[in-house]
Each structure stands twice: as structure tokens, then as C-alpha cells.
Amino acid sequence: MLIWKLLTRTLLGIALTFWLTLLTGHQALADKRVALVIGNSSYRNVAKLSNPANDAAAVAAMFKSAGFDSVDSKLDLNANEMRKTLREFGNRTRDADVAVIYYAGHGIELDGTNYLIPVDATLETDTDVLDETFPLDRVLFTVEPARQLRLVILDACRDNPFAKTMKRTIGSRAIGRGLAKVEPSSPNTMIAFAAKAGSTASDGDSKNSPFAAAIVNHLTKPGLDLRKAFGFVRDDVLKATGNAQEPFVYGSLGGNDVTLVPAAPTAPAAAATDHDATMQRNYEFALQVGTKPVWDAFIEKYPSGFFTALAKAQRDKLAAEAARIEATNKAKAAEEEQRRLAIEGAKAAEQAKAAEQARSAEKARIAAEQAKKAEEAKVAEAERAKAAAIAKAAEKEAERVRAAEAVNAAREAKLAAELKAKEEKLAADERAKQEKLAALTPADKSDQPMAIDLPRSLQTELRRVGCNTGAVDGNWNAASQRSLDLFNKHAGMKLDVKSPSADALDAVKAKANRVCPLVCEHGFRADGDRCSKISCPAGSFVNNDDACEKKRERPIAKREEQPGKRERSEPPKVEPDRPKAQASGQIICDGGGCRPTKQGCRIREKTAQERINTGVAGLIEVCN
């Protein structure tokens, strides 16, 4: 009996330790949390994005308010800076439980692989994607060391402007719309897209994109499971975009709730609840075994308390049942003894004695039955009291949860108010800035329609790349069309020259250096990006082909002198030989396209009178 009692106590202790470990293991989850936030807005070779910088600031503030151990916020990273940032953040994830990367900016999908685009990328051809961008696998490799959760959030599904000017080296190579579907290979890894694979996301008309605004509202709510949080994000974005944009999450997690910010119950109430819950579980374990040594061990471990009273009642019930069984056995033995004596023909006195013993045994059995029923009644009453106590504890726990939710709601309201105040301040600053710019801008220019600014801007950019030598007057005439046609020829593009367009303006802006060859007037030659006057050595002159040629002296025959008359000597005339006509290497463009100048001809700009007569500015070909 002693050995059985010791063994029971040991098993009970092991069970208590196991359940306590499970109880505290969830609280220890996500001990260290780190986050990296990147916002790329100021792209150098395509139009600037308005919201990624604002989105990154709002998300970084969210992680800091949520109590993350480390939050790195980076803006407008070029390729080298992005590479360095990912490498440094990878070092921080090695001892972290939760690692999160949020990226807002441009992304591109090439042949089923997703890439993030730094601000200095040019992407003139599809092969440049491999050299100037970062594959999504590189980002996943950065968060790989995290022990419990790896989360990558991509607000990078915007319409890709690089695809409009990017040349394809292989015609069958696919450049997708938005980002491609992914399947993480590591467990406990989630990748959240601002829009479903193959679709694009909106940058938004307000300060933040719809996806970023929903992330800030739901992702770090205390105690909210991550999958449910992204479900709320999806609902908000669908509502904000009129069902045009649907966020999507790839990857899977286990059955337990996974939260970025665990619920924080009040410490004293949580400790008392944990103790009662542990005591209740151990009571249920002892109830399953249902032996007196187990109840003795439970009562020894928990000398007082509600479940201690239940355990004592269960032990007394077992004792009464044992007494009943013992009395029943004695009664059966007495009856058997009486039958035996009757069979053997015993004397009447002995039979009477045996009969008395049988009656006594039956009375004892009946008393034991009544005692058992009394103990069962006590146990039933204790069970009813237990149910009432559990209901009261549940009501108390519900009150505590409501109080905690009220505290969390107040904190969230305070955070929302702070964010709203910041947004209002930024909006006020922006309005003040716009008013200041409006005050500095002449009124006659502010009322010009956008249709006039586009031709003027395109003429200016064509002049910058050396394809427009005419006037920049906003009048898209034949000279401007020839300039854009010349750009198409030397840049290898097929832009429409009949009217100016935003695509043409973006394509010309994307060229950092001169595209069209420099054309100089007679007597000048190209020297880098400007024309320099041709200087010839003494005894040489500049011929029609803009080359230095040595002067030739031609002797003149002397006249015969008449007698008595002396002719006056004259210096010989030196006439240069007419040079042979050669091509000058210059190019002239007119309504029929662009061609080299004719032999012996050169190009000069039209005079003011010639521009008035023809109604067209530009260059003309002059032949001697």
C-alpha cells in the first residue's frame, strides 16, 4: 500500500508539471519580435509614388506601439542600400522568435518569379531585372532564422511602369501583371499580398494605401489571431476599393492561435485563475483513477480549497462503498453458514444462533447501504456546489475579459486619435505648402491646360537628348514630329509622333544621355555635347566639308613686254582648288524622314524670316 501511494503521488506530480508546462509555454511564445519596414517612393527613372513613404511611417509606428524589440524603418533605398539593409536585418533575426518585413514600392513578376525594385533601377531590358532587383526568395532568406513566425507583407502589386519601355530579349518571356502566386517552403511562414496574384493594387487617393490603412487597424490587436487579422484586412480593402482589390495570404500556420501582440490579462486575477484551473485539472485526473490513495495524495497536495472538499467527499464515498461490500460479504457468509448447519442437522440452538448472526449481518448490510446512499447524496451536493462555483468563476472571468477589452479599446482609440492628429497636421502642412506655391506661381501660367504643358515638356526633353533643335513653344508642329521621329530612329522605339503623349514623355525622360547625334553649322565640329569652331593652321582654310585644306598657289604667265613700254608687275593670284564634293556626315530630317546630307552640302538653322515664310522652325540643307 505504501509503494502504491508513493507511485500515485509521483504520477500526479508528473501530470501537474506537464499541464503547467503547456499552460506557461503559450505565454513564453514570441519572446523577441523584430521588424523591418521599407518604403520606396522616389524612383529616379519612372514617376514617383506618393504613398509608400507614408505607409512605411504608419506601419513602423504600429510595430513600435506594439512593443516590438527592434523596428528598422528605411526609405528610398537604392540597390546597394537595400542589399546592406537585408543583410543587417538577417543578423537580427538569428535570435528572434518573430520576424516581420513590410515592403511598399514597385515590384515585378518575370517568368513566375517576384522581384522587389530599388529606386535606382533602370530596367531597359528584361535581363536587367536579374541584375538590378531583388528576388522575393532573398527576402524570405532574411527572415528564415526566426524560430516561431516568419511574416513578409508586400504592398508592391502596383501597375509596373517599367514594363512600358522595357525591351524583351526573348519574345516568349512573360512579364506578368502584379505579382505571381508563391508557396513558402518553410513552416510557420506567411506572405501577404496587397492584391491577389495576377492583379494590381491601388496606391490610394488619401495619405495611405487601402492595404496599409487596414494593416495598421487590425494587425497588432492584442490577442487577435494573425489569420483572422488578415481576414479583417481583406474585408476593409474590398470595401474601400468597391471589390476591385482583394488582398491574399499565402502559407500556413498550425492549429494554435498566433498573435503578434498577446493578450495581457491582469496579473493577480490571471495567477488565481491559473491556480484554480490547475487544481481543477488535477482533480479530474484523480477522479479518473478513483482510488483512495489518489484522493489521499490530492488532499495532501491541496490541503484546502473547493476541490479539496470534493476530494474528501469522493474519498468518504469510496470508504462507504468498501464498508458496504464488507458487510454484504459477511451477510452472505452468515447465510451460507446457516444453510450448512441446517443441512448437517445441527441443533436448534445452533441454528437459532446462526439465524441471529444472519439477521445481524443483514442489518449491517442495510446500514452500510444507507451510509453509502448518504455519502452519494453528499457527493451529489458537492457536485452541485462545484457547478455553481465554476459558473461563478466563469462569470468573473468574463467580467475580467470585458474589462481588459475596454482597456485595449481605450488604447486603440488613443492610438487612432494620435494617428488622426498626425494626419491632420501633415494635411495642414501640405495645404500650406500648396498655398505658398500657388502664391509664388504667376496666375497666367496656373490657368494653362495640361494639354499645352505636355507638348512643351516633350519638346524640352527632346532638346535635352539632342533630337530637337527647334523652338520650345508648346506647338506640336511638323518640326516637333520630326524630332520625335528622329528619337525613335536612334532609340529603337516606335512612339506615335502625330501627337504628344505621356508614354513618349516618360520614354524620353528615361534616357539620361544624348540620343541623337550633334549637328553643327558650317565651320564648327562636334566636341562632346557642344559645337566648337574649327581652327585651321596658317596657310589652310575650312572647306565645304568642314575640313582644313591647304591653300595652293597657281603661277600666272607673264605678258610679253612691248618695246618702249614697261608693264607693271602684279603679284600672282592664288585661287584655291575647288574641293571634291564629299558627304559631310550630317543628318537632315524633313517630312520624308531623316537622311544624310548631300555631297557638298551643309546644314544650318533657318533664319527668323525663313521661319515666318514657311511657318516651320528647324534646319535646312544649303548646297554651294
Side-chain angles (χ1 to χ4, degrees), residues 421-619:
K422 291 181 181 179
E423 291 178 357
E424 292 177 350
K425 184 177 182 302
L426 290 174
D429 295 342
E430 183 65 21
R431 286 195 298 271
K433 181 179 178 182
Q434 295 296 335
E435 292 174 358
K436 184 177 181 181
L437 290 175
L440 296 176
T441 304
D444 57 345
K445 290 186 179 180
S446 62
D447 297 333
Q448 291 181 357
M450 293 299 293
I452 298 178
D453 291 339
L454 184 58
R456 186 184 298 274
S457 301
L458 187 52
Q459 289 172 341
T460 301
E461 290 299 320
L462 287 170
R463 171 166 285 186
R464 180 181 62 80
V465 296
C467 298
N468 180 22
T469 59
V472 179
D473 53 5
N475 182 20
W476 192 256
N477 50 28
S480 300
Q481 294 177 9
R482 287 195 297 273
S483 300
L484 184 55
D485 184 67
L486 188 61
F487 174 81
N488 281 339
K489 178 179 179 181
H490 290 282
M493 295 186 177
K494 295 181 180 180
L495 300 171
D496 185 12
V497 301
K498 294 181 180 179
S499 60
S501 64
D503 290 341
L505 181 61
D506 292 340
V508 179
K509 282 185 176 180
K511 302 299 181 181
N513 302 317
R514 171 181 287 275
V515 175
C516 298
L518 181 64
V519 178
C520 299
E521 296 182 358
H522 177 63
F524 292 82
R525 65 162 57 95
D527 183 11
D529 289 336
R530 61 189 183 89
C531 294
S532 301
K533 188 174 182 180
I534 300 174
S535 298
C536 295
S540 301
F541 66 96
V542 180
N543 61 18
N544 291 337
D545 295 328
D546 289 333
C548 292
E549 184 174 342
K550 187 176 181 181
K551 297 179 180 180
R552 298 181 181 178
E553 297 182 358
R554 181 177 296 173
I556 301 176
K558 296 182 179 181
R559 299 180 181 178
E560 295 182 357
E561 296 182 0
Q562 298 180 359
K565 189 176 182 179
R566 188 174 182 179
E567 293 288 343
R568 184 175 57 185
S569 62
E570 295 181 359
K573 295 182 179 180
V574 179
E575 296 182 2
D577 291 339
R578 189 173 185 83
K580 297 180 180 180
Q582 299 178 355
S584 63
Q586 298 179 332
I587 296 174
I588 183 69
C589 298
D590 52 22
C594 298
R595 57 178 176 78
T597 57
K598 300 177 181 178
Q599 295 183 350
C601 299
R602 60 186 177 85
I603 297 173
R604 68 171 175 80
E605 191 170 0
K606 289 182 180 180
T607 64
Q609 186 60 41
E610 288 172 339
R611 289 197 294 269
I612 295 173
N613 293 338
T614 60
V616 178
L619 304 175

Side-chain angles (χ1 to χ4, degrees), residues 261-457:
V261 180
T266 306
T273 302
D274 292 344
H275 180 269
D276 292 342
T278 304
M279 188 176 181
Q280 180 180 355
R281 282 196 298 271
N282 290 333
Y283 172 82
E284 292 172 355
F285 290 150
L287 186 63
Q288 292 177 6
V289 178
T291 61
K292 185 175 180 300
V294 170
W295 291 120
D296 290 339
F298 182 89
I299 294 169
E300 182 178 354
K301 183 170 183 61
Y302 301 105
S304 62
F306 173 73
F307 288 100
T308 303
L310 289 178
K312 290 180 179 179
Q314 292 288 355
R315 185 182 61 179
D316 294 342
K317 177 182 175 181
L318 290 177
E321 176 65 14
R324 183 191 68 80
I325 293 173
E326 184 178 358
T328 301
N329 292 334
K330 287 182 178 180
K332 289 181 178 180
E335 289 178 357
E336 290 176 356
E337 180 66 16
Q338 184 180 5
R339 286 195 297 270
R340 185 185 65 79
L341 291 175
I343 292 172
E344 292 178 355
K347 295 180 179 180
E350 292 178 351
Q351 291 180 0
K353 182 179 179 181
E356 182 64 25
Q357 291 177 351
R359 285 192 294 272
S360 298
E362 181 62 20
K363 290 180 181 180
R365 184 188 68 79
I366 293 172
E369 287 286 350
Q370 292 175 350
K372 174 188 174 184
K373 290 180 180 180
E375 294 299 331
E376 288 178 347
K378 290 181 181 179
V379 171
E381 182 63 25
E383 288 293 338
R384 286 192 293 271
K386 167 190 170 184
I390 291 176
K392 184 176 180 180
E395 183 179 357
K396 185 177 180 181
E397 177 66 15
E399 292 178 357
R400 184 192 64 79
V401 171
R402 286 194 294 270
E405 289 178 350
V407 173
N408 292 335
R411 185 176 66 178
E412 291 177 4
K414 181 180 178 182
L415 179 60
E418 292 176 353
L419 289 176
K420 183 178 180 181
K422 291 181 181 179
E423 291 178 357
E424 292 177 350
K425 184 177 182 302
L426 290 174
D429 295 342
E430 183 65 21
R431 286 195 298 271
K433 181 179 178 182
Q434 295 296 335
E435 292 174 358
K436 184 177 181 181
L437 290 175
L440 296 176
T441 304
D444 57 345
K445 290 186 179 180
S446 62
D447 297 333
Q448 291 181 357
M450 293 299 293
I452 298 178
D453 291 339
L454 184 58
R456 186 184 298 274
S457 301

